Amino acid sequence: MIPVIYHPSYNITAFGLERLHPFDSRKYQRIHDALITRGLRRRGDFLRPRPVSRTDLLKVHTAQYLDSLRQPAVLARILEVPIVRRLPAWLLDWRVLGPMRLACGGTILACRQALEYGLAINLGGGYHHAAGGWGGGFCVYADIPLAAKTLHDEGRVAKAMVVDLDAHQGNGTASVFQSWPWATIFDLFERNLFPTHKEPEAYPLPVPTGLGGPEYLQIVEDALPVALDTVRPDLLIYNAGSDVFVGDPLAGFRLSANEVAERDLRVVTIARERDIPVAMVLSGGYSSESWRIHTDGIEGILTRFDGGRSIAPT
Ligand SMILES: [Zn+2]
C-alpha cells in the first residue's frame, strides 16, 4: 500500500480564525475521512508524523525569521488575516504554527517513505510561498526545501526536483533553491497571479489566465518528461495544488475536477515510469470543493499504484 501521512492536528481551528481566510483549513480531515468512506484506506492505515523542531527549521530558515514569528503582526501579514495581530503569540503558536510544524514533519516523512516505497502522499504541506527569511500567502515554513535538505544532508538524495503545479508560482521554494545547485524546480503557474515578483527558476512555465484543461495537460505531458530526463533526480516532490480547478476563487485556470485528478495521475505516472520516487504534498486550493478534488486525484493514484506494483498497466 502507498504510504499516506496524516495527523488529526493538521487541521487549524483557532476559535473561528480559520474562517477568515479562503483556505479550508479542515480540508485535510475531509480528505482523510473521504479516503476511508471510499474504501481506499482504513482508519489505522495512515502514518502519523512528528512535528519539526527549531533545530530542523534552522536547516532552511534564518534564526531571525523564526524569532520574528513570535510577533503576531508578522504572522498576520503572512497568513493574510489582519485580526491575527490582536491575538497572543502563545495561542498562535499552539493553534496555527503547531499544526504547520506537524505538516512539515509530514512532508519529511513522505519523502522518506517515497525513497523506500517509490511513492508516498502527505495530506498536508506544500507551503511553497515560504523562503529562508520570509513567508507569505499563508505559508510560514518552507516544508518542501526542508524535506529535500534533510535527506540531502543525510546523503540519501543527491539531486532533488520539485514539480510545482499549484496555480501560483512557488516563489519561496524557488528562492531557497537558488543557492542549492542540487535542487531544481519545475513550475507551471498562472503568470498574472500572486506573487507579483516571480523568483528565477530552472523550469518556469508561466501561462496566461484562463488556460483550459486539455492545453494544460498537454503542457505537462510535453514538458515534464524532458525536465525529468534532463535532471534525473533521485527524489521528486510533487506540489499538487488544486487551485487550478475552474471553480477556485483565487486563480483563473479552467480545469475540471476530473482534469485535476488526471493531472495528478499523469505526474506520478511519468515519474514512476522513470523509477523516480515521488512524495506528493497538497498545497493550495481555495474552493469549497478543494478537498473533494484532492481526494479524486489521490483515489486515481492509489487505484493505479496500490498493491505493490510500481507501475500498473495503463
Ligand atoms: Zn496556489
Side-chain angles (χ1 to χ4, degrees):
M1 270 205 310
I2 303 305
V4 180
I5 292 122
Y6 172 75
H7 195 293
S9 299
Y10 275 11
N11 301 284
I12 294 169
T13 50
F15 315 115
L17 176 72
E18 67 278 7
R19 289 194 288 274
L20 298 174
H21 189 280
F23 190 79
D24 174 10
S25 53
R26 298 202 73 99
K27 78 175 179 182
Y28 313 117
Q29 185 191 342
R30 294 188 222 277
I31 296 166
H32 165 269
D33 292 352
L35 291 175
I36 294 170
T37 306
R38 295 186 189 187
L40 294 159
R41 286 293 181 272
R42 289 168 305 180
R43 204 157 286 279
D45 289 338
F46 297 85
L47 299 181
R48 287 195 176 193
R50 286 203 303 260
V52 292
S53 66
R54 181 180 169 91
T55 307
D56 296 326
L57 291 166
L58 284 168
K59 292 187 174 109
V60 167
H61 294 291
T62 62
Q64 187 183 16
Y65 173 67
L66 295 178
D67 292 344
S68 78
L69 300 175
R70 297 191 192 119
Q71 300 169 41
V74 171
L75 273 183
R77 184 186 55 73
I78 296 172
L79 301 176
E80 301 174 347
V81 181
I83 194 81
V84 160
R85 63 172 59 239
R86 296 169 185 265
L87 298 175
W90 64 266
L91 178 74
L92 293 167
D93 191 75
W94 175 34
R95 302 298 281 267
V96 179
L97 297 181
M100 290 178 174
R101 287 192 294 268
L102 198 53
C104 290
T107 299
I108 297 173
L109 182 57
C111 290
R112 289 192 191 288
Q113 294 287 312
L115 291 181
E116 195 157 340
Y117 299 102
L119 174 60
I121 301 169
N122 180 22
L123 300 186
Y127 306 128
H128 65 158
H129 300 307
W134 44 267
F138 203 71
C139 300
V140 178
Y141 303 118
D143 62 316
I144 294 172
L146 175 56
K149 180 90 162 69
T150 300
L151 291 163
H152 181 70
D153 288 353
E154 291 174 6
R156 303 192 63 199
V157 170
K159 275 188 285 184
M161 184 164 179
V162 171
V163 173
D164 190 331
L165 299 191
D166 185 279
H168 302 89
Q169 197 213 21
N171 60 327
T173 307
S175 163
V176 177
F177 280 9
Q178 280 157 26
S179 55
W180 297 355
W182 53 272
T184 311
I185 179 167
F186 173 101
D187 197 346
L188 173 55
F189 57 90
E190 200 177 312
R191 186 185 294 144
N192 299 323
L193 288 182
F194 173 94
T196 314
H197 169 72
K198 306 293 191 286
E199 291 287 333
E201 300 175 300
Y203 294 94
L205 290 163
V207 293
T209 302
L211 192 73
E215 297 81 9
Y216 181 102
L217 291 172
Q218 195 59 52
I219 292 171
V220 173
E221 193 79 33
D222 291 342
L224 184 57
V226 176
L228 289 181
D229 291 340
T230 305
V231 175
R232 300 173 68 83
D234 315 291
L235 173 67
L236 188 160
I237 304 175
Y238 174 37
N239 196 51
S242 68
D243 49 7
V244 295
F245 172 56
V246 63
D248 196 279
L250 296 190
F253 282 110
R254 295 177 52 246
L255 277 72
S256 67
N258 283 343
E259 285 164 340
V260 180
E262 175 62 24
R263 175 200 69 170
D264 291 348
L265 186 56
R266 284 197 197 187
V267 169
V268 172
T269 302
I270 288 169
R272 295 304 299 136
E273 281 170 351
R274 288 160 175 75
D275 241 348
I276 299 167
V278 180
M280 174 173 165
V281 299
L282 300 191
S283 201
Y286 307 94
S287 79
S288 56
E289 292 295 297
S290 178
W291 67 271
R292 197 191 311 274
I293 294 163
H294 279 300
T295 308
D296 290 348
I298 294 166
E299 178 171 1
I301 292 166
L302 297 183
T303 302
R304 179 169 296 182
F305 291 97
D306 260 347
R309 294 167 298 178
S310 60
I311 305 282
T314 52

